[in-house]
Amino acid sequence: MEPPAVPEQQEEEEEEEEGAVPLSMAPGPVGCQLFGYVGIEAVLDQMKIKTMKTGFEFNIMVVGQSGLGKSTMVNTLFKSKVSRKSSQPGHEERIPKTVQLQSITHIIQEKGVKMKLTVTDTPGFGDQINNDNCWDPIIKYINEQYERYLREEILITRKRKIPDTRVHGCVYFVPPTGHWLRPLDLEFMRRLSKIVNVVPVIAKADTLTLEERAEFKQRIQEDLRTHAISVYPQEDFDQDPEDRALNNRIREKIPFAVVGADQEHQVNGKRVLGRKTKWGIIEVENPAHCEFPLLQDLLIRSHLQDLKDITHNVHYESYRVRRLNESNRPGLGPLNGLPAKGEASSHL
Ligand SMILES: Nc1nc2c(ncn2[C@@H]2O[C@H](COP(=O)(O)OP(=O)(O)O)[C@@H](O)[C@H]2O)c(=O)[nH]1
Ligand SMILES: [Mg+2]
């Protein structure tokens, strides 16, 4: 991107107009004219070049009951257009049956920017008669990543760039019952939303009619409100009215009604990712067919940096404060008080 040209003409005119105001009394923006044109926006180019050189990490996790299409969605994300053309080849077919937490990483390169995208697939829950504490392994994993980061951060000689394995977005799969949220899903999301950005989705949306999808969405939104579960994008963190207006539009559409697929089909001479049914092909990347494109857009395009910022400034920050307070208890040195790596406490 070319830096914008310096508007010299305009500046001179403005200086003349403001000439009568003593500079000491001049309000902020006029005060800048003391220095003439400063060119602060050049920092944008520097930030861009730095990001391009170092690349960045972005980590997503998929959570939900067994059989809702989580592993398929991981495949969909990696096979979709965003990563199809630019990721490292050869990893696509390696999505195994999920028996434990499993992370898959692709390096996606686009216009010189390098993103290390990691998606963590989790085993489904809900199969047992007793599902008490089924969230424990997942919450433990999320906290362990905070712990890892914290341990690097508090070292006296620390790395210039701390490897970031923290979960920036947790996609929660709601079963397409068309009714209300089940107590299990409510409780799980309530716990998750306290430590991570939760993005709920209606799984297997192709099993619901358009009316059912819309009604279910309303009910879920109502349910979340009633139970004070704050999913991403959280209202509390809107930065300004513009941000609020944009996020309000997203909040109306959440949870996205998604369909996942890992097979390609031929449609009108083009290869599309979709599910073949008796009645035709449901194209997952077609916004007229499902809301997978909205999910992908939110996560990987429009809100990627915001998800990372909230993770760092809010979720990680509260973990950090809590852990450091714990380790400052009398008799414990700040470092000695921390348990060994991997022993992070799993409860908030
Ligand atoms: N109808 C429908 N079936 C799906 C969808 N996504 C996945 N499936 C199917 O659901 C089954 C379970 O999918 P899987 O990804 O293993 O679910 P997981 O247990 O949540 O990881 C498989 O047979 C998938 O083909 C979807 O969006 N719609
Ligand atoms: Mg699975």
Side-chain angles (χ1 to χ4, degrees), residues 60-72 74 95-104 119-128 131 133-142 170-173 182 184-185 188 192:
I60 303 173
M61 187 182 214
V62 292
V63 176
Q65 193 190 309
S66 314
L68 287 181
K70 296 182 296 298
S71 303
T72 308
V74 175
I95 303 218
K97 185 169 169 13
T98 340
V99 285
Q100 60 189 56
L101 267 82
Q102 203 138 30
S103 295
I104 298 163
V119 183
T120 303
D121 195 1
T122 59
F125 54 83
D127 299 337
Q128 270 70 44
N131 290 305
N133 306 329
C134 59
W135 38 78
D136 275 357
I138 287 159
I139 290 191
K140 180 163 178 267
Y141 175 86
I142 296 169
C170 176
V171 181
Y172 191 92
F173 284 65
R182 303 170 310 170
L184 178 64
D185 292 316
F188 211 134
L192 283 174

